[in-house]
Amino acid sequence: MKTSTIVAATVGVLAVATVGYAIYFDSKRRNDPEFRRKLKKERKRTQKLAAEEAKKLSNKSAQTVEEALASISDEDFPTSMEEREKFCMEQLSAGEALFTQGPTKFGQAAICFYKALKVYPAPAELVMVYQKTIPPEVFTLVMGMLSKDVQSKQEKYYTVFPPEEMNVKVEEKPEGVAADGQKVTRRGLVATKSFGAGQTVYSEAPVISSLEPSLEGKDFCHYCLKQIVDEASKVPCSKCTQVVFCTEDCRKSAAQEFHDILCTKDSEDASSPERSLREYTKTTRNLVPEMLAKFLVKMVHEESLNSGAEYNSFDHMERLRYLEITATAEEEKEMELLKVALGSNIPGIDEFITEERYLLMKGRLLYNLYGVSTSLNVDHDVEPLPERHRSVRDAPITGGGFYRVTSYLMHSCEPNAKIVFSENDHKVSIVTTREVMAGEELLVGYIKNDDLSTESRRLELFTKYRFRCMCPLCETTD
Protein backbone atom coordinates (compact mmCIF):
# COMPACT_ATOMS: atom_id res chain seq x y z
CA MET A 1 0.00 0.00 0.00
CA LYS A 2 1.27 3.44 -0.89
CA THR A 3 2.23 5.74 1.92
CA SER A 4 -0.29 8.33 0.77
CA THR A 5 -3.07 5.67 0.92
CA ILE A 6 -2.09 4.67 4.48
CA VAL A 7 -2.11 8.32 5.57
CA ALA A 8 -5.46 8.93 3.95
CA ALA A 9 -6.97 5.81 5.54
CA THR A 10 -5.59 6.64 8.95
CA VAL A 11 -6.92 10.17 8.78
CA GLY A 12 -10.35 8.82 7.78
CA VAL A 13 -10.49 6.39 10.71
CA LEU A 14 -9.37 9.05 13.15
CA ALA A 15 -11.97 11.46 11.83
CA VAL A 16 -14.82 8.95 12.34
CA ALA A 17 -13.56 7.99 15.81
CA THR A 18 -13.19 11.63 16.80
CA VAL A 19 -16.73 12.50 15.73
CA GLY A 20 -18.14 9.45 17.58
CA TYR A 21 -16.22 10.23 20.77
CA ALA A 22 -17.27 13.88 20.62
CA ILE A 23 -20.95 12.85 20.66
CA TYR A 24 -20.38 10.45 23.62
CA PHE A 25 -18.29 13.05 25.49
CA ASP A 26 -20.89 15.80 25.13
CA SER A 27 -23.67 13.49 26.37
CA LYS A 28 -21.72 12.46 29.49
CA ARG A 29 -20.70 16.09 30.16
CA ARG A 30 -24.31 17.24 30.19
CA ASN A 31 -25.93 14.31 32.06
CA ASP A 32 -23.38 12.76 34.47
CA PRO A 33 -22.41 14.88 37.56
CA GLU A 34 -19.63 12.47 38.54
CA PHE A 35 -18.21 12.65 35.04
CA ARG A 36 -18.26 16.45 35.22
CA ARG A 37 -16.44 16.37 38.59
CA LYS A 38 -13.74 14.03 37.26
CA LEU A 39 -13.47 16.13 34.12
CA LYS A 40 -12.93 19.31 36.15
CA LYS A 41 -10.31 17.56 38.30
CA GLU A 42 -8.54 16.22 35.23
CA ARG A 43 -8.61 19.68 33.59
CA LYS A 44 -6.95 21.24 36.64
CA ARG A 45 -4.32 18.51 36.70
CA THR A 46 -3.63 18.98 32.99
CA GLN A 47 -3.37 22.75 33.39
CA LYS A 48 -0.98 22.34 36.31
CA LEU A 49 1.23 19.93 34.35
CA ALA A 50 1.17 22.28 31.34
CA ALA A 51 2.15 25.22 33.54
CA GLU A 52 4.99 23.23 35.11
CA GLU A 53 6.28 22.18 31.70
CA ALA A 54 6.02 25.75 30.40
CA LYS A 55 7.92 26.99 33.44
CA LYS A 56 10.63 24.37 32.95
CA LEU A 57 10.94 25.30 29.29
CA SER A 58 10.96 29.01 30.13
CA ASN A 59 13.59 28.53 32.83
CA LYS A 60 15.68 26.40 30.49
CA SER A 61 15.45 29.01 27.73
CA ALA A 62 16.20 31.83 30.19
CA GLN A 63 19.16 29.88 31.54
CA THR A 64 20.39 29.26 28.01
CA VAL A 65 20.05 32.96 27.19
CA GLU A 66 21.87 33.99 30.37
CA GLU A 67 24.67 31.50 29.72
CA ALA A 68 24.94 32.60 26.10
CA LEU A 69 25.21 36.28 27.01
CA ALA A 70 27.74 35.50 29.74
CA SER A 71 29.88 33.58 27.25
CA ILE A 72 30.35 36.67 25.07
CA SER A 73 30.26 39.40 27.74
CA ASP A 74 34.02 39.97 27.62
CA GLU A 75 34.38 39.54 23.87
CA ASP A 76 35.79 42.46 21.90
CA PHE A 77 33.81 43.02 18.74
CA PRO A 78 35.50 44.50 15.66
CA THR A 79 35.07 48.25 15.10
CA SER A 80 36.10 49.06 11.52
CA MET A 81 33.47 48.59 8.81
CA GLU A 82 35.62 46.09 6.92
CA GLU A 83 36.32 43.98 10.01
CA ARG A 84 32.68 44.09 11.08
CA GLU A 85 31.49 42.95 7.67
CA LYS A 86 33.95 40.04 7.67
CA PHE A 87 33.06 39.08 11.26
CA CYS A 88 29.34 39.22 10.49
CA MET A 89 29.65 36.90 7.48
CA GLU A 90 31.79 34.45 9.48
CA GLN A 91 29.22 34.28 12.28
CA LEU A 92 26.30 33.86 9.88
CA SER A 93 28.11 31.02 8.11
CA ALA A 94 29.04 29.35 11.41
CA GLY A 95 25.51 29.67 12.76
CA GLU A 96 24.01 28.07 9.67
CA ALA A 97 26.51 25.19 9.80
CA LEU A 98 25.68 24.58 13.48
CA PHE A 99 21.88 24.51 13.32
CA THR A 100 21.96 22.02 10.43
CA GLN A 101 23.61 19.58 12.88
CA GLY A 102 20.42 19.39 14.93
CA PRO A 103 18.90 20.61 18.22
CA THR A 104 22.01 19.90 20.29
CA LYS A 105 23.77 22.71 18.40
CA PHE A 106 20.91 25.23 18.50
CA GLY A 107 22.37 27.12 21.48
CA GLN A 108 25.76 27.57 19.80
CA ALA A 109 24.07 28.56 16.55
CA ALA A 110 22.03 31.23 18.38
CA ILE A 111 25.24 32.70 19.84
CA CYS A 112 26.72 33.02 16.35
CA PHE A 113 23.61 34.67 14.95
CA TYR A 114 23.46 37.04 17.92
CA LYS A 115 27.13 38.03 17.50
CA ALA A 116 26.42 38.80 13.84
CA LEU A 117 23.50 40.93 14.97
CA LYS A 118 25.78 42.91 17.32
CA VAL A 119 27.93 44.20 14.47
CA TYR A 120 25.34 44.43 11.68
CA PRO A 121 24.59 48.10 10.80
CA ALA A 122 20.83 47.52 10.44
CA PRO A 123 19.93 44.92 13.10
CA ALA A 124 16.16 45.22 12.58
CA GLU A 125 16.56 44.10 8.98
CA LEU A 126 18.73 41.14 9.98
CA VAL A 127 16.13 40.07 12.56
CA MET A 128 13.55 39.94 9.75
CA VAL A 129 15.90 37.73 7.72
CA TYR A 130 16.43 35.46 10.75
CA GLN A 131 12.70 35.09 11.24
CA LYS A 132 12.35 33.62 7.75
CA THR A 133 15.53 31.55 7.50
CA ILE A 134 16.56 29.97 10.82
CA PRO A 135 14.72 27.36 12.94
CA PRO A 136 12.08 28.81 15.29
CA GLU A 137 13.91 27.39 18.35
CA VAL A 138 17.13 29.20 17.34
CA PHE A 139 15.24 32.40 16.51
CA THR A 140 13.58 32.34 19.95
CA LEU A 141 16.98 32.08 21.64
CA VAL A 142 18.43 34.91 19.53
CA MET A 143 15.48 37.17 20.36
CA GLY A 144 15.77 36.22 24.02
CA MET A 145 19.42 37.28 24.02
CA LEU A 146 18.55 40.51 22.22
CA SER A 147 15.70 41.28 24.63
CA LYS A 148 17.87 40.58 27.68
CA ASP A 149 20.71 42.68 26.29
CA VAL A 150 18.39 45.58 25.50
CA GLN A 151 16.86 45.35 28.98
CA SER A 152 20.29 45.37 30.59
CA LYS A 153 21.33 48.32 28.45
CA GLN A 154 18.15 50.20 29.36
CA GLU A 155 18.63 49.58 33.09
CA LYS A 156 22.27 50.63 32.98
CA TYR A 157 21.70 53.81 30.95
CA TYR A 158 20.83 56.20 33.76
CA THR A 159 23.63 54.86 35.95
CA VAL A 160 26.24 56.17 33.49
CA PHE A 161 24.31 59.11 32.03
CA PRO A 162 24.67 62.00 32.63
CA PRO A 163 28.43 61.88 33.30
CA GLU A 164 29.30 62.35 36.97
CA GLU A 165 31.27 65.56 36.30
CA MET A 166 28.10 67.33 35.14
CA ASN A 167 26.81 67.38 38.76
CA VAL A 168 23.32 66.14 37.83
CA LYS A 169 21.39 62.89 37.55
CA VAL A 170 18.06 61.87 36.02
CA GLU A 171 15.27 60.85 38.41
CA GLU A 172 11.61 59.92 38.16
CA LYS A 173 9.32 62.75 39.30
CA PRO A 174 5.51 62.90 39.80
CA GLU A 175 3.54 64.79 37.18
CA GLY A 176 -0.03 64.49 38.40
CA VAL A 177 -2.79 61.95 37.87
CA ALA A 178 -4.24 60.67 34.58
CA ALA A 179 -7.96 60.54 33.80
CA ASP A 180 -8.09 56.90 34.90
CA GLY A 181 -6.61 57.77 38.30
CA GLN A 182 -3.15 56.39 37.54
CA LYS A 183 -0.17 58.44 38.74
CA VAL A 184 1.85 60.00 35.94
CA THR A 185 5.62 60.31 36.25
CA ARG A 186 8.29 62.04 34.21
CA ARG A 187 12.08 62.26 34.23
CA GLY A 188 13.74 65.34 35.69
CA LEU A 189 17.27 66.61 36.25
CA VAL A 190 18.41 66.65 39.89
CA ALA A 191 21.52 68.34 41.31
CA THR A 192 23.98 65.92 42.90
CA LYS A 193 25.55 68.62 45.08
CA SER A 194 24.55 72.01 46.48
CA PHE A 195 25.05 75.27 44.61
CA GLY A 196 24.83 78.91 45.61
CA ALA A 197 22.94 81.48 43.56
CA GLY A 198 24.69 82.42 40.32
CA GLN A 199 26.84 79.29 40.12
CA THR A 200 27.24 77.19 36.97
CA VAL A 201 26.03 73.63 37.45
CA TYR A 202 27.35 72.35 34.11
CA SER A 203 28.03 73.36 30.50
CA GLU A 204 27.14 71.31 27.44
CA ALA A 205 27.71 71.46 23.70
CA PRO A 206 24.72 70.43 21.56
CA VAL A 207 24.35 67.18 19.68
CA ILE A 208 23.45 69.37 16.75
CA SER A 209 22.57 73.03 16.18
CA SER A 210 21.41 75.20 13.29
CA LEU A 211 21.62 78.88 12.53
CA GLU A 212 18.55 80.98 11.78
CA PRO A 213 18.41 80.80 7.92
CA SER A 214 18.47 84.57 7.34
CA LEU A 215 21.82 84.78 9.17
CA GLU A 216 23.59 82.13 7.08
CA GLY A 217 26.60 83.30 5.11
CA LYS A 218 26.74 86.66 6.88
CA ASP A 219 28.11 87.42 10.33
CA PHE A 220 27.42 84.14 12.14
CA CYS A 221 29.30 80.84 12.21
CA HIS A 222 27.52 77.96 10.52
CA TYR A 223 28.89 75.49 13.09
CA CYS A 224 28.95 77.12 16.56
CA LEU A 225 26.49 79.97 15.73
CA LYS A 226 28.87 82.60 17.19
CA GLN A 227 28.66 86.15 15.85
CA ILE A 228 31.74 87.08 13.79
CA VAL A 229 32.75 90.64 14.67
CA ASP A 230 35.89 90.91 12.58
CA GLU A 231 35.15 90.60 8.88
CA ALA A 232 38.73 89.55 8.20
CA SER A 233 38.44 86.56 10.54
CA LYS A 234 35.64 84.89 8.56
CA VAL A 235 36.54 81.44 7.27
CA PRO A 236 34.64 80.51 4.10
CA CYS A 237 33.58 77.04 3.04
CA SER A 238 35.96 75.73 0.39
CA LYS A 239 33.07 74.46 -1.76
CA CYS A 240 30.20 76.95 -1.38
CA THR A 241 29.44 80.60 -0.61
CA GLN A 242 26.32 79.82 1.41
CA VAL A 243 27.96 79.58 4.84
CA VAL A 244 30.89 81.01 6.80
CA PHE A 245 32.76 79.96 9.94
CA CYS A 246 34.38 81.85 12.80
CA THR A 247 37.53 79.68 12.89
CA GLU A 248 39.25 76.99 10.87
CA ASP A 249 38.46 74.54 13.69
CA CYS A 250 34.74 75.17 13.25
CA ARG A 251 35.03 74.71 9.48
CA LYS A 252 36.81 71.38 9.92
CA SER A 253 34.35 70.16 12.57
CA ALA A 254 31.37 71.04 10.39
CA ALA A 255 32.95 69.38 7.36
CA GLN A 256 33.62 66.16 9.25
CA GLU A 257 30.30 65.96 11.07
CA PHE A 258 27.80 67.00 8.40
CA HIS A 259 28.69 69.82 5.99
CA ASP A 260 30.73 67.81 3.47
CA ILE A 261 27.55 65.84 2.69
CA LEU A 262 25.00 68.67 3.02
CA CYS A 263 27.08 71.38 1.30
CA THR A 264 25.21 72.91 -1.68
CA LYS A 265 28.51 73.37 -3.56
CA ASP A 266 26.95 76.46 -5.22
CA SER A 267 25.05 74.20 -7.60
CA GLU A 268 23.29 75.97 -10.45
CA ASP A 269 20.67 73.23 -10.46
CA ALA A 270 17.79 74.45 -8.27
CA SER A 271 16.53 70.87 -7.92
CA SER A 272 19.84 69.46 -6.67
CA PRO A 273 19.30 67.37 -3.51
CA GLU A 274 21.34 69.53 -1.12
CA ARG A 275 20.06 72.82 -2.53
CA SER A 276 16.42 71.69 -2.37
CA LEU A 277 16.70 71.08 1.38
CA ARG A 278 18.52 74.39 1.87
CA GLU A 279 15.91 76.32 -0.11
CA TYR A 280 13.10 74.72 1.88
CA THR A 281 14.80 75.77 5.13
CA LYS A 282 15.23 79.34 3.86
CA THR A 283 11.64 79.61 2.70
CA THR A 284 9.93 78.10 5.75
CA ARG A 285 12.56 79.12 8.36
CA ASN A 286 11.93 75.71 9.94
CA LEU A 287 15.15 74.42 11.48
CA VAL A 288 14.08 70.88 12.36
CA PRO A 289 14.31 69.21 8.90
CA GLU A 290 17.87 70.48 8.39
CA MET A 291 18.78 69.59 11.98
CA LEU A 292 17.51 66.06 11.43
CA ALA A 293 19.62 65.82 8.28
CA LYS A 294 22.67 66.96 10.25
CA PHE A 295 21.78 64.54 13.05
CA LEU A 296 21.60 61.54 10.72
CA VAL A 297 24.86 62.44 8.96
CA LYS A 298 26.54 62.96 12.33
CA MET A 299 25.37 59.51 13.44
CA VAL A 300 27.19 58.02 10.44
CA HIS A 301 30.25 60.11 11.35
CA GLU A 302 30.15 58.85 14.95
CA GLU A 303 29.94 55.28 13.65
CA SER A 304 33.03 55.82 11.52
CA LEU A 305 35.04 57.03 14.52
CA ASN A 306 34.78 53.61 16.21
CA SER A 307 35.01 55.31 19.60
CA GLY A 308 33.68 52.26 21.42
CA ALA A 309 31.01 54.39 23.16
CA GLU A 310 28.25 52.20 24.56
CA TYR A 311 25.49 54.66 23.65
CA ASN A 312 25.26 56.73 20.47
CA SER A 313 23.28 59.88 19.71
CA PHE A 314 20.24 57.88 18.65
CA ASP A 315 20.27 56.02 22.00
CA HIS A 316 20.14 59.39 23.74
CA MET A 317 17.41 60.77 21.49
CA GLU A 318 15.02 57.83 21.76
CA ARG A 319 14.70 58.21 25.56
CA LEU A 320 13.45 61.79 25.41
CA ARG A 321 9.90 63.05 25.59
CA TYR A 322 8.29 63.96 22.29
CA LEU A 323 5.30 65.68 20.76
CA GLU A 324 2.82 63.45 18.98
CA ILE A 325 2.66 64.66 15.41
CA THR A 326 0.19 63.66 12.72
CA ALA A 327 1.64 63.42 9.23
CA THR A 328 0.64 66.27 6.92
CA ALA A 329 1.74 67.32 3.43
CA GLU A 330 4.52 69.30 5.12
CA GLU A 331 5.98 66.22 6.82
CA GLU A 332 5.65 64.21 3.60
CA LYS A 333 7.65 66.87 1.77
CA GLU A 334 10.28 67.03 4.52
CA MET A 335 10.75 63.25 4.47
CA GLU A 336 11.20 63.27 0.73
CA LEU A 337 13.71 66.15 0.87
CA LEU A 338 15.65 64.30 3.57
CA LYS A 339 15.75 61.04 1.62
CA VAL A 340 16.86 62.79 -1.56
CA ALA A 341 19.49 64.92 0.20
CA LEU A 342 21.05 61.93 1.98
CA GLY A 343 20.25 59.06 -0.38
CA SER A 344 23.44 59.09 -2.41
CA ASN A 345 25.63 59.31 0.70
CA ILE A 346 23.89 57.11 3.27
CA PRO A 347 22.93 53.65 1.94
CA GLY A 348 19.58 52.42 3.24
CA ILE A 349 18.29 55.87 4.24
CA ASP A 350 15.05 55.28 2.29
CA GLU A 351 14.26 52.26 4.43
CA PHE A 352 15.38 53.94 7.65
CA ILE A 353 13.23 57.07 7.30
CA THR A 354 9.77 55.60 7.68
CA GLU A 355 6.85 57.89 8.40
CA GLU A 356 6.63 56.65 11.99
CA ARG A 357 10.35 57.14 12.65
CA TYR A 358 10.43 60.59 11.05
CA LEU A 359 7.45 61.81 13.10
CA LEU A 360 9.05 60.50 16.30
CA MET A 361 12.39 62.16 15.56
CA LYS A 362 10.74 65.44 14.60
CA GLY A 363 8.50 65.27 17.68
CA ARG A 364 11.53 64.80 19.93
CA LEU A 365 13.37 67.75 18.41
CA LEU A 366 10.33 70.01 18.64
CA TYR A 367 9.75 69.11 22.29
CA ASN A 368 13.39 69.52 23.33
CA LEU A 369 14.67 72.29 21.04
CA TYR A 370 16.26 75.29 22.77
CA GLY A 371 16.48 78.73 21.24
CA VAL A 372 20.15 79.72 21.10
CA SER A 373 21.16 83.36 21.63
CA THR A 374 24.65 84.12 20.39
CA SER A 375 24.27 87.69 19.17
CA LEU A 376 26.50 90.28 20.81
CA ASN A 377 23.99 92.96 19.82
CA VAL A 378 20.72 92.86 21.76
CA ASP A 379 19.06 94.99 19.07
CA HIS A 380 20.02 92.58 16.29
CA ASP A 381 16.94 92.35 14.08
CA VAL A 382 15.91 88.67 13.83
CA GLU A 383 12.33 87.53 13.42
CA PRO A 384 11.09 84.92 15.93
CA LEU A 385 11.47 81.32 14.75
CA PRO A 386 8.15 79.75 13.69
CA GLU A 387 8.87 76.41 15.40
CA ARG A 388 8.33 75.98 19.13
CA HIS A 389 11.49 76.24 21.21
CA ARG A 390 12.36 76.73 24.85
CA SER A 391 13.48 80.28 25.57
CA VAL A 392 12.90 83.12 28.03
CA ARG A 393 15.78 85.29 26.86
CA ASP A 394 15.42 88.94 25.89
CA ALA A 395 18.24 88.64 23.34
CA PRO A 396 17.24 87.60 19.80
CA ILE A 397 17.22 83.90 19.01
CA THR A 398 19.93 83.25 16.44
CA GLY A 399 19.36 79.52 16.06
CA GLY A 400 18.35 76.30 17.73
CA GLY A 401 20.20 73.60 19.67
CA PHE A 402 19.41 70.02 20.62
CA TYR A 403 21.15 68.85 23.83
CA ARG A 404 21.53 65.45 25.48
CA VAL A 405 21.40 66.44 29.17
CA THR A 406 19.69 69.82 29.02
CA SER A 407 16.67 68.23 27.31
CA TYR A 408 15.76 66.71 30.70
CA LEU A 409 15.34 70.13 32.34
CA MET A 410 11.68 70.69 33.11
CA HIS A 411 9.72 73.94 33.26
CA SER A 412 8.71 76.10 36.19
CA CYS A 413 7.18 79.59 36.12
CA GLU A 414 9.44 80.27 39.14
CA PRO A 415 12.64 78.47 38.00
CA ASN A 416 15.73 77.93 40.15
CA ALA A 417 18.07 77.93 37.14
CA LYS A 418 18.47 79.65 33.80
CA ILE A 419 19.95 79.00 30.37
CA VAL A 420 23.09 81.02 29.63
CA PHE A 421 25.26 81.18 26.50
CA SER A 422 28.24 82.62 28.31
CA GLU A 423 30.69 82.09 25.44
CA ASN A 424 28.25 83.49 22.87
CA ASP A 425 28.24 80.26 20.92
CA HIS A 426 25.95 77.21 20.90
CA LYS A 427 27.42 75.79 24.12
CA VAL A 428 24.87 76.11 26.94
CA SER A 429 25.51 76.65 30.65
CA ILE A 430 22.98 76.01 33.41
CA VAL A 431 23.30 78.73 36.06
CA THR A 432 21.36 78.77 39.34
CA THR A 433 19.11 81.76 40.10
CA ARG A 434 18.96 80.94 43.83
CA GLU A 435 20.49 78.45 46.23
CA VAL A 436 19.93 74.85 45.10
CA MET A 437 20.41 71.96 47.49
CA ALA A 438 21.76 68.51 46.59
CA GLY A 439 18.84 66.31 45.52
CA GLU A 440 16.74 69.27 44.38
CA GLU A 441 15.34 69.26 40.85
CA LEU A 442 16.71 71.89 38.50
CA LEU A 443 13.98 73.84 36.70
CA VAL A 444 14.11 76.44 33.94
CA GLY A 445 11.53 78.50 32.08
CA TYR A 446 10.32 77.29 28.68
CA ILE A 447 8.37 80.48 27.98
CA LYS A 448 8.49 84.16 28.84
CA ASN A 449 6.45 84.86 31.96
CA ASP A 450 5.97 88.61 31.42
CA ASP A 451 3.30 88.79 34.13
CA LEU A 452 0.97 86.48 32.22
CA SER A 453 -1.98 85.07 34.10
CA THR A 454 -1.84 81.47 35.32
CA GLU A 455 -4.47 80.55 32.75
CA SER A 456 -2.45 82.12 29.91
CA ARG A 457 0.79 80.44 30.99
CA ARG A 458 -0.85 77.05 31.35
CA LEU A 459 -2.57 77.41 27.97
CA GLU A 460 0.70 78.26 26.19
CA LEU A 461 2.57 75.42 27.89
CA PHE A 462 -0.16 72.90 27.15
CA THR A 463 -0.44 74.05 23.53
CA LYS A 464 3.31 73.78 22.97
CA TYR A 465 4.35 70.93 25.29
CA ARG A 466 1.17 69.07 26.23
CA PHE A 467 1.45 69.37 30.00
CA ARG A 468 -0.42 71.30 32.68
CA CYS A 469 2.01 73.37 34.72
CA MET A 470 1.87 72.48 38.42
CA CYS A 471 4.67 74.72 39.67
CA PRO A 472 4.12 76.55 43.01
CA LEU A 473 3.27 79.82 41.24
CA CYS A 474 0.55 78.20 39.14
CA GLU A 475 -0.81 76.14 42.04
CA THR A 476 -1.04 79.07 44.46
CA THR A 477 -2.66 81.42 41.93
CA ASP A 478 -4.97 78.84 40.37
Side-chain angles (χ1 to χ4, degrees), residues 173-439:
K173 294 291 180 182
E175 196 177 43
V177 180
D180 59 1
Q182 294 291 318
K183 291 183 179 180
V184 179
T185 60
R186 58 173 174 78
R187 293 189 179 106
L189 214 53
V190 171
T192 56
K193 67 178 186 179
S194 298
F195 291 89
Q199 287 189 298
T200 298
V201 180
Y202 69 82
S203 296
E204 178 185 26
V207 177
I208 210 73
S209 63
S210 276
L211 194 62
E212 204 284 330
S214 67
L215 301 177
E216 287 284 19
K218 298 178 180 178
D219 300 326
F220 288 82
C221 179
H222 180 63
Y223 182 73
C224 76
L225 281 53
K226 180 180 287 188
Q227 186 172 5
I228 307 170
V229 179
D230 183 6
E231 184 76 18
S233 66
K234 287 182 181 177
V235 178
C237 171
S238 60
K239 299 176 183 177
C240 77
T241 57
Q242 301 297 312
V243 302
V244 293
F245 302 93
C246 63
T247 64
E248 180 63 18
D249 285 344
C250 276
R251 188 196 68 78
K252 288 181 179 178
S253 294
Q256 291 171 356
E257 293 179 22
F258 54 81
H259 190 60
D260 268 357
I261 288 179
L262 297 175
C263 179
T264 60
K265 303 176 181 64
D266 284 343
S267 172
E268 296 297 324
D269 181 5
S271 63
S272 70
E274 298 83 4
R275 185 170 172 181
S276 296
L277 179 61
R278 167 62 61 181
E279 290 301 319
Y280 176 82
T281 303
K282 277 187 174 181
T283 303
T284 63
R285 297 182 63 245
N286 290 335
L287 300 183
V288 167
E290 183 183 63
M291 290 181 75
L292 281 174
K294 289 180 178 179
F295 177 81
L296 292 171
V297 176
K298 188 173 180 179
M299 276 181 57
V300 175
H301 170 66
E302 287 178 353
E303 188 73 16
S304 69
L305 293 178
N306 302 318
S307 65
E310 190 170 2
Y311 301 98
N312 60 26
S313 293
F314 199 79
D315 288 322
H316 293 296
M317 177 191 260
E318 69 177 359
R319 287 168 169 80
L320 297 174
R321 296 181 75 162
Y322 61 92
L323 289 175
E324 291 188 9
I325 302 172
T326 303
T328 65
E330 183 179 69
E331 277 74 34
E332 293 291 338
K333 182 174 183 178
E334 290 170 0
M335 281 190 287
E336 188 57 34
L337 285 171
L338 211 56
K339 289 179 180 181
V340 171
L342 304 179
S344 61
N345 294 287
I346 304 179
I349 197 68
D350 278 0
E351 293 76 16
F352 180 81
I353 302 178
T354 61
E355 180 179 287
E356 180 183 11
R357 185 173 284 132
Y358 182 77
L359 294 178
L360 276 172
M361 289 193 299
K362 181 175 181 178
R364 285 191 167 97
L365 249 66
L366 285 175
Y367 194 96
N368 298 286
L369 185 67
Y370 277 88
V372 179
S373 299
T374 61
S375 176
L376 301 175
N377 184 354
V378 176
D379 299 323
H380 205 289
D381 186 21
V382 183
E383 290 186 27
L385 290 169
E387 293 167 315
R388 57 173 57 81
H389 55 274
R390 304 175 185 181
S391 175
V392 295
R393 290 178 62 84
D394 295 326
I397 300 301
T398 50
F402 174 60
Y403 302 85
R404 290 185 180 91
V405 178
T406 307
S407 291
Y408 287 93
L409 284 169
M410 296 305 293
H411 168 86
S412 173
C413 298
E414 287 187 320
N416 57 12
K418 62 181 179 179
I419 300 293
V420 176
F421 299 95
S422 55
E423 298 179 25
N424 293 107
D425 61 10
H426 63 189
K427 189 175 183 179
V428 69
S429 295
I430 307 306
V431 179
T432 57
T433 56
R434 61 167 176 78
E435 185 180 14
V436 174
M437 304 304 292

Side-chain angles (χ1 to χ4, degrees), residues 15-233:
V16 172
T18 301
V19 172
Y21 181 73
I23 296 171
Y24 167 77
F25 178 87
D26 185 58
S27 175
K28 293 286 284 182
R29 179 181 59 80
R30 286 186 286 106
N31 301 312
D32 189 339
E34 181 62 21
F35 181 81
R36 290 201 304 271
R37 187 183 68 77
K38 288 181 179 179
L39 181 64
K40 186 176 180 181
K41 185 177 180 181
E42 182 63 24
R43 187 184 295 119
K44 284 185 176 180
R45 190 180 75 83
T46 303
Q47 288 173 345
K48 184 179 179 181
L49 287 173
E52 288 174 355
E53 286 301 314
K55 186 176 181 181
K56 286 179 184 178
L57 183 61
S58 176
N59 289 340
K60 185 177 180 181
S61 296
Q63 184 179 355
T64 303
V65 166
E66 293 280 1
E67 290 173 352
L69 285 174
S71 71
I72 62 172
S73 61
D74 296 327
E75 185 164 342
D76 291 326
F77 290 92
T79 54
S80 73
M81 293 301 290
E82 294 78 10
E83 291 174 340
R84 289 169 69 176
E85 182 179 354
K86 180 182 177 183
F87 179 81
C88 183
M89 295 307 295
E90 289 173 348
Q91 295 304 314
L92 290 174
S93 179
E96 186 176 1
L98 284 164
F99 80 66
T100 56
Q101 297 177 41
T104 59
K105 299 292 184 179
F106 280 178
Q108 291 173 263
I111 291 175
C112 291
F113 289 124
Y114 180 70
K115 286 161 74 172
L117 199 63
K118 291 280 283 184
V119 299
Y120 195 74
E125 293 177 14
L126 190 54
V127 166
M128 293 171 66
V129 173
Y130 285 170
Q131 193 170 14
K132 297 175 183 178
T133 58
I134 66 178
E137 299 89 342
V138 178
F139 180 74
T140 298
L141 287 173
V142 173
M143 294 309 294
M145 293 171 70
L146 180 61
S147 176
K148 188 70 178 177
D149 194 25
V150 169
Q151 181 185 352
S152 176
K153 195 174 180 181
Q154 292 276 16
E155 292 171 352
K156 182 183 175 183
Y157 182 77
Y158 289 112
T159 65
V160 297
F161 175 87
E164 187 177 348
E165 61 270 19
M166 295 187 78
N167 305 313
V168 289
K169 63 180 178 179
V170 176
E171 284 189 359
E172 295 281 339
K173 294 291 180 182
E175 196 177 43
V177 180
D180 59 1
Q182 294 291 318
K183 291 183 179 180
V184 179
T185 60
R186 58 173 174 78
R187 293 189 179 106
L189 214 53
V190 171
T192 56
K193 67 178 186 179
S194 298
F195 291 89
Q199 287 189 298
T200 298
V201 180
Y202 69 82
S203 296
E204 178 185 26
V207 177
I208 210 73
S209 63
S210 276
L211 194 62
E212 204 284 330
S214 67
L215 301 177
E216 287 284 19
K218 298 178 180 178
D219 300 326
F220 288 82
C221 179
H222 180 63
Y223 182 73
C224 76
L225 281 53
K226 180 180 287 188
Q227 186 172 5
I228 307 170
V229 179
D230 183 6
E231 184 76 18
S233 66

